[in-house]
Amino acid sequence: FAFLDEEIPFIEVSIADTRVELLDGRLVIRSFLARPGSGEAMGLKSLDFAFDWLPLLRREVSARSVALSGLSIDLIRQGDRLSVNGVPVDLSAKSGGEAWGFDIGALTLTSSRITLVDGERRLGIEVESFELGPVRSASPEARSPSRIATEG
């Protein structure tokens, strides 16, 4: 997907701390905040992304693990348009080339808030703990085990 506006659509972006380990294939981000011109800010307390380099040569993104904590995001659909925290997103495939594949060994989401809005319907989801994996685009029919813990 791509943001519809070619310019950076956020008026404020801040990151408290980052760590990149090129040889190990790891990216860690702490306290990310992106505030669009309109809508709520998108926030993330922490991201820990561990990946493999070699699959990139085969047009595959291979994540050993993705751990997100403190995610705060609003997904809003109005008719045939989608926006993320007030920023329009284009989900159409326009690359014209071969599609990239993905492989996620484990996805973990903790202490997060996701708001889904579709016209007049609004759903707020508070996630205490969610685990999913493995997920492979090469075999989408394969079942992915998941575990959800909710509170309240």
Side-chain angles (χ1 to χ4, degrees):
F1 69 90
F3 290 110
L4 292 177
D5 189 350
E6 294 298 321
E7 300 294 320
I8 296 176
F10 298 102
I11 60 172
E12 176 188 343
V13 176
S14 64
I15 299 173
D17 186 34
T18 61
R19 186 175 80 234
V20 178
E21 300 172 8
L22 293 177
L23 294 177
D24 292 334
R26 190 165 182 192
L27 171 67
V28 178
I29 296 175
R30 301 283 182 242
S31 297
F32 169 83
L33 179 68
R35 189 176 313 281
S38 64
E40 296 293 319
M42 177 172 44
L44 180 64
K45 184 176 179 182
S46 70
L47 163 71
D48 192 333
F49 176 63
F51 62 95
D52 294 320
W53 285 103
L54 190 57
L56 292 172
L57 300 174
R58 297 187 307 265
R59 299 179 60 89
E60 295 175 11
V61 176
S62 180
R64 294 185 304 273
S65 64
V66 178
L68 301 160
S69 178
L71 176 67
S72 176
I73 191 169
D74 297 335
L75 303 172
I76 302 168
R77 189 176 87 166
Q78 294 174 324
D80 60 349
R81 295 184 174 186
L82 177 69
S83 66
V84 177
N85 291 71
V87 178
V89 177
D90 183 2
L91 297 175
S92 63
K94 297 180 185 174
S95 66
E98 185 180 333
W100 281 65
F102 68 89
D103 177 359
I104 301 172
L107 173 67
T108 304
L109 178 66
T110 58
S111 303
S112 297
R113 178 198 56 82
I114 302 168
T115 302
L116 305 172
V117 178
D118 186 0
E120 297 296 316
R121 293 175 288 208
R122 180 181 189 91
L123 175 63
I125 304 169
E126 297 287 332
V127 179
E128 182 63 31
S129 174
F130 175 78
E131 296 175 16
L132 175 69
V135 177
R136 291 173 174 60
S137 67
S139 55
E141 68 284 347
R143 298 186 70 178
S144 298
S146 61
R147 188 172 73 75
I148 301 173
T150 58
E151 195 173 283

